[in-house]
Amino acid sequence: MFNLSRIDWSSRLPIVNSWRQHIQTAPVMVVEDSVSLRVLVFGLIIMGIVAVDIAADTKFSFWAVPFSVVGGIWSYRYRRSQNIPVKFCIAIGMLVALGAFFGRVLGELNDTRLALAELLIQLQILHSFDMPRRKDLGYSIVIGLILLGVAATLSQTLAFAPVLLLFLAIALPTLVLNYRSQIGLGKSEVKREKAKESQLKSYLLFYFLLFTLIVGLGLGIFAVLPRFPGYQLRTFPVSSPIEVKGSFTGRSIINPGYVRQGNAENQGNGTEQSQNGQPGKLNDSFYYGFNSQMNQNLRGSMTSKVVMRVRSQVEGFWRVLAFDRYTGKGWEISRNDNVTTLKRSPWSYQIYLSPPPTTAKTREVVQTYTVVADLPNLIPAMSYAKEIYFPTPIIAVDQEDGLRSPVALAEDLTYTVISEVPYRDRTLLGKATTNYPKNITKYYLQIPPEISPKVRKLTEEILANYHRNNVSKVSKTLDATYEKVLYLAQYLKQNYSIPQNPLEFPYLGDKEDLVEAFLFKSKGGYPDHFSTVLTVMLRSIGIPARLVAGFGAGEFNPFTGMYVVRNTDAYAMTEVYFPKYGWFTFDPIPNHPLIPPSVEDSQTFSVLRQFWNWVAGWLPSPVTGFLNTFFGKLLGWIFKAIAWFFALFAQGWLGVLTGLILGTTIAFFGWLGWVQWRKWLKSRWLSKLPPMERLYQQMLQWTATKGLGKHPSQTPLEYAQVSYQHHPPATAQVIDEISQAYVTWRYGGQTPNLQQLRQKWQEIKKGHKR
């Protein structure tokens, strides 16, 4: 009988046959035995994990590094086994990690970088138990590199820099060993190539020089790389959600510097004075102006400390709040109870704001703030904020466009603001009318009647003497409001001073006025006093103004791309209202720029500019002036030439044709110059080589022009054998002789017959020319 059980029915299926053939013809996976390569790769992984911990203040290293080490030891011990059960466990673990990742992403839609880093770390731990047993350790190298990149985007300090340098130091030998493994360089060859002590020193010197070259080249590229506006994606960094208990009205301001007796509800306002009639003291940690009242009769100074780190597309003034009512010794917010609360949707951090209307051209500026030290519940932001991504479900906006949080800004809190900042066009603002709305004149022209006539008279006298005291020469008259403000601010800078001794500016009694004492008695005052005086002087002549307090831009760190803001960067300026265009700031404080930095200042080459400023600080003034003039004129000519070239294409068909001809001619001569430059470099390089190596390199260059270039992986003898298939026997014979002589000279120390080889080579080249 026919035995059906002996028939292999599966062998008749095409799919099964194809699978069997694939298995039989699949190359055998080569096991990676190099311990040094494995150790270096895991060093890269560890550096990537540590970098994430440093940048994001996490603790992944405590569990990820030990598990990775255990996985590496396991994979090396069982590197020649199939490990099928382990692979199933790894697959299950990866699915679990992926599910946890999606669950975390849903809760942190605005910033998924840290969730991605944790997913990569988990995958690498699972990966270490199986995949690194083969020659695909490159996957682990890539994961380490990605982790380093994620850490770079999260880093806000230079603590990340040493890890980056250490990662580079490990990466260089790792790439070398990985390449040797890929090309199949065995252990016996490695042992034969082990250097003696003198050669080892030369290798270490070469490694050090290579490391230095890469770091220097990277810093050079970093310095000249243009800084274009970032934040093209509409998801921004925000802290985890903060729950708000109770009702929030937005009327109270929580300033940690004014909390008395440990009671957050018992807020001081900075107006306290000592019982003996002496001036009250400032808090040495918190700016006295961040409150509903601002007492400028206080004395003291702050101890410097970092309070914020800001990542912004442009440098700016981080506005906190503004005051509308002058009290004689300071300022207050007269409509502090009239605030508006805004809620966000439960599935988004975004809250829309209503910035003041303006017809001026604007630019969108995105800022991300990370709080380093405790701050009041006042939210710093650039002016004209239109959107805010904040972790609390509700915020408040006062009548002076200040933003308030239901909780104090605690350490590590992160939020993002989008502002529509108007450009400061001096020509347009100079044409602004004086038809002020009633709601503007009602609140921003207030001035105590006791000092109004006296201040107005002095202000008008200063403006009347403009031609005699003119410094600017930009405008011939002071009819425009904008020019009046500029001149008065400049006048205060030049004619009044900041006292070196705090006792030089007297303590004001109950009936004394700050502005009057500043202008007519002490001839100066403290920095914020200048802004108060300018604001009151403008009000005295009918120009609406208010006092605005906030933080200066701070110190820009080019390596982190963030502005480091300290509590001592807080100060007050004057905001002036221009009909149709809105509010613009002016800074009358000595040693401050008259116009604060804003969107008009280009940050494209900010790092290069800062580097030049640092170099210029060490050079003599005449040298600095000459270099500034020279490079200024050179760049001016270049920009004019580029503008003229592109202007040709706007002059009709003739201009387009002229531009194309000119562009083609320039490209041709540029190419010709580049070719000659490369020839000169090659000839210079050949002239420095030993005679035998020079002849060998000249032969390789000639054969490359004939269509047979040498591949980098080919040895000289392998290349000589291949040449017999592409050249006549006589030519191939000479190529073989030169290659043999080069190998024996380079690796055997034998002296070749250079004269004979050169003669044969010249005959070959002459024969080809004929």
Side-chain angles (χ1 to χ4, degrees):
M1 296 181 61
F2 191 67
N3 191 357
L4 296 176
S5 61
R6 300 183 62 180
I7 299 178
D8 188 0
W9 295 97
S10 61
S11 61
R12 298 184 179 183
L13 297 176
I15 297 178
V16 175
N17 288 331
S18 177
W19 176 74
R20 286 182 175 178
Q21 292 177 3
H22 176 73
I23 294 297
Q24 293 173 358
T25 58
V28 179
M29 184 63 68
V30 181
V31 176
E32 179 56 64
D33 292 320
S34 175
V35 177
S36 58
L37 177 58
R38 292 172 177 271
V39 172
L40 288 174
V41 169
F42 278 100
L44 293 180
I45 292 296
I46 292 174
M47 286 298 101
I49 297 173
V50 171
V52 174
D53 283 347
I54 293 176
D57 195 20
T58 55
K59 297 180 180 179
F60 295 141
S61 301
F62 289 100
W63 58 270
V65 173
F67 276 107
S68 296
V69 173
V70 171
I73 296 174
W74 171 277
S75 62
Y76 180 75
R77 182 175 181 180
Y78 297 99
R79 63 189 183 277
R80 301 186 186 279
S81 304
Q82 291 296 325
N83 294 331
I84 300 299
V86 176
K87 291 180 179 179
F88 275 105
C89 293
I90 291 174
I92 296 172
M94 288 185 174
L95 292 176
V96 173
L98 187 62
F101 168 73
F102 284 119
R104 185 173 180 181
V105 165
L106 293 176
E108 300 178 4
L109 292 176
N110 275 77
D111 192 359
T112 60
R113 294 173 295 176
L114 199 56
L116 175 62
E118 187 173 2
L119 173 65
L120 287 175
I121 292 173
Q122 294 169 352
L123 295 180
Q124 168 55 34
I125 293 174
L126 297 171
H127 172 78
S128 64
F129 279 88
D130 179 60
M131 298 302 290
R133 73 183 183 89
R134 304 185 183 96
K135 293 179 58 177
D136 54 0
L137 288 167
Y139 292 122
S140 296
I141 298 175
V142 173
I143 290 178
L145 185 61
I146 294 176
L147 288 175
L148 192 76
V150 173
T153 64
L154 293 170
S155 176
Q156 297 183 357
T157 65
L158 284 179
F160 172 73
V163 181
L164 177 62
L165 294 177
L166 188 57
F167 185 91
L168 177 62
I170 299 175
L172 291 178
T174 303
L175 294 176
V176 172
L177 292 180
N178 187 50
Y179 178 72
R180 294 169 70 95
S181 176
Q182 288 180 359
I183 63 177
L185 194 58
K187 289 185 177 180
S188 59
E189 295 179 356
V190 173
K191 291 180 180 179
R192 286 200 301 269
E193 293 180 4
K194 282 187 176 179
K196 297 179 182 178
E197 185 177 355
S198 59
Q199 291 178 323
L200 182 60
K201 290 182 179 179
S202 64
Y203 289 158
L204 292 177
L205 178 61
F206 173 77
Y207 171 76
F208 176 76
L209 293 177
L210 180 62
F211 178 81
T212 305
L213 176 63
I214 293 175
V215 173
L217 185 62
L219 291 176
I221 295 175
F222 177 81
V224 301
L225 194 68
R227 261 66 178 168
F228 295 109
Y231 292 109
Q232 301 302 322
L233 299 177
R234 307 305 293 185
T235 55
F236 306 110
V238 183
S239 297
S240 300
I242 300 176
E243 295 184 3
V244 178
K245 298 181 180 180
S247 60
F248 171 64
T249 62
R251 298 174 183 175
S252 62
I253 297 177
I254 307 172
N255 191 327
Y258 293 151
V259 176
R260 296 180 296 181
Q261 299 177 355
N263 184 3
E265 297 298 330
N266 188 13
Q267 288 287 322
N269 56 17
T271 61
E272 293 81 8
Q273 302 172 7
S274 59
Q275 296 179 358
N276 57 5
Q278 296 299 319
K281 293 184 179 179
L282 296 173
N283 186 283
D284 61 353
S285 298
F286 298 90
Y287 180 64
Y288 73 108
F290 295 156
N291 215 314
S292 58
Q293 295 182 0
M294 185 180 192
N295 181 11
Q296 295 186 303
N297 203 19
L298 302 177
R299 301 293 183 269
S301 60
M302 289 189 295
T303 303
S304 177
K305 67 176 182 179
V306 177
V307 294
M308 290 192 310
R309 295 190 185 97
V310 184
R311 187 185 302 277
S312 175
Q313 292 171 297
V314 297
E315 181 181 0
F317 179 74
W318 322 125
R319 188 182 190 273
V320 175
L321 81 169
F323 301 90
D324 63 331
R325 182 175 180 80
Y326 175 63
T327 63
K329 296 180 179 61
W331 294 83
E332 67 179 8
I333 302 175
S334 65
R335 297 173 286 175
N336 188 57
D337 293 337
N338 188 8
V339 298
T340 304
T341 56
L342 301 174
K343 295 183 178 181
R344 62 174 173 84
S345 62
W347 57 81
S348 174
Y349 290 98
Q350 186 180 41
I351 300 177
Y352 290 98
L353 307 172
S354 299
T358 178
T359 59
K361 180 183 177 182
T362 61
R363 175 182 171 182
E364 183 181 270
V365 179
V366 182
Q367 320 115 60
T368 295
Y369 300 81
T370 300
V371 179
V372 178
D374 291 344
L375 290 175
N377 65 322
L378 303 171
I379 304 174
M382 286 190 74
S383 58
Y384 291 81
K386 68 175 184 178
E387 297 176 35
I388 181 171
Y389 295 75
F390 204 74
T392 61
I394 186 173
I395 66 169
V397 183
D398 62 24
Q399 295 298 312
E400 311 303 329
D401 304 312
L403 306 178
R404 303 182 183 184
S405 166
V407 295
L409 306 188
E411 184 180 354
D412 294 332
L413 185 141
T414 300
Y415 65 94
T416 300
V417 179
I418 302 178
S419 301
E420 200 69 37
V421 183
Y423 283 91
R424 185 189 293 262
D425 191 323
R426 185 170 182 173
T427 302
L428 291 178
L429 295 178
K431 297 178 181 179
T433 66
T434 57
N435 298 325
Y436 302 110
K438 291 183 179 180
N439 64 322
I440 295 296
T441 57
K442 181 179 180 181
Y443 296 101
Y444 304 112
L445 291 179
Q446 173 269 335
I447 183 174
E450 298 81 9
I451 66 168
S452 180
K454 196 173 183 179
V455 174
R456 180 173 62 252
K457 181 181 178 182
L458 176 62
T459 305
E460 291 175 347
E461 289 178 357
I462 293 173
L463 295 176
N465 295 331
Y466 168 74
H467 293 290
R468 184 179 61 188
N469 300 327
N470 184 22
V471 177
S472 177
K473 303 294 184 184
V474 175
S475 177
K476 296 181 179 179
T477 63
L478 285 178
D479 296 333
T481 300
Y482 189 87
E483 302 301 330
K484 291 179 181 179
V485 179
L486 282 179
Y487 181 67
L488 288 174
Q490 188 66 34
Y491 182 88
L492 291 177
K493 285 177 178 286
Q494 295 179 347
N495 293 276
Y496 295 85
S497 60
I498 300 174
Q500 299 296 327
N501 187 353
L503 299 178
E504 292 182 15
F505 189 82
Y507 168 70
L508 302 176
D510 294 338
K511 296 183 179 180
E512 292 183 288
D513 185 271
L514 171 66
V515 175
E516 185 179 18
F518 182 101
L519 291 174
F520 303 104
K521 295 180 182 179
S522 61
K523 297 295 183 180
Y526 298 109
D528 286 352
H529 295 173
F530 284 80
S531 302
T532 293
V533 171
L534 176 62
T535 305
V536 174
M537 291 177 72
L538 294 174
R539 289 185 172 190
S540 69
I541 58 174
I543 299 177
R546 64 186 179 189
L547 193 79
V548 60
F551 293 99
E555 182 180 0
F556 180 72
N557 188 330
F559 295 98
T560 62
M562 305 193 79
Y563 295 91
V564 180
V565 183
R566 300 179 177 272
N567 56 346
T568 50
D569 291 323
Y571 64 97
M573 290 192 300
T574 299
E575 271 189 345
V576 182
Y577 181 79
F578 296 89
K580 297 195 307 181
Y581 301 110
W583 296 91
F584 289 86
T585 53
F586 298 83
D587 192 344
I589 301 175
N591 301 322
H592 282 207
L594 183 61
I595 304 299
S598 188
V599 294
E600 293 84 2
D601 300 323
S602 173
Q603 303 293 318
T604 304
F605 296 97
S606 57
V607 176
L608 190 60
R609 184 173 66 249
Q610 289 185 4
F611 177 75
W612 165 245
N613 291 336
W614 178 78
V615 174
W618 294 88
L619 298 176
S621 299
V623 177
T624 304
F626 170 76
L627 293 177
N628 281 328
T629 303
F630 174 76
F631 286 109
K633 290 184 177 179
L634 180 62
L635 292 176
W637 291 338
I638 293 174
F639 289 143
K640 287 181 180 179
I642 294 174
W644 173 80
F645 174 75
F646 284 104
L648 289 175
F649 293 90
Q651 299 178 6
W653 289 106
L654 182 61
V656 172
L657 184 61
T658 304
L660 292 176
I661 295 174
L662 183 60
T664 305
T665 304
I666 293 174
F668 170 73
F669 281 104
W671 171 82
L672 192 62
W674 170 252
V675 171
Q676 296 301 321
W677 170 257
R678 291 187 61 183
K679 287 183 178 179
W680 178 78
L681 288 179
K682 286 183 179 179
S683 62
R684 186 180 179 184
W685 172 65
L686 289 172
S687 64
K688 297 180 179 180
L689 296 177
M692 183 64 242
E693 187 169 2
R694 186 186 312 132
L695 177 61
Y696 174 71
Q697 293 295 337
Q698 288 174 343
M699 181 266 294
L700 292 181
Q701 292 180 7
W702 180 84
T703 54
T705 61
K706 301 302 179 181
L708 182 62
K710 179 183 175 296
H711 194 273
S713 64
Q714 285 181 315
T715 65
L717 299 182
E718 290 175 342
Y719 177 73
Q721 292 297 324
V722 174
S723 65
Y724 281 98
Q725 303 174 10
H726 295 268
H727 293 289
T731 303
Q733 179 65 31
V734 175
I735 294 175
D736 193 1
E737 291 180 9
I738 294 176
S739 299
Q740 292 281 356
Y742 172 75
V743 171
T744 55
W745 166 80
R746 180 70 180 271
Y747 302 103
Q750 299 181 12
T751 303
N753 190 347
L754 282 173
Q755 184 176 0
Q756 182 180 359
L757 291 174
R758 286 191 184 126
Q759 182 178 359
K760 291 183 177 181
W761 181 244
Q762 294 297 331
E763 292 176 356
I764 291 296
K765 290 200 298 183
K766 290 179 181 179
H768 274 271
K769 287 182 180 180
R770 290 195 296 267

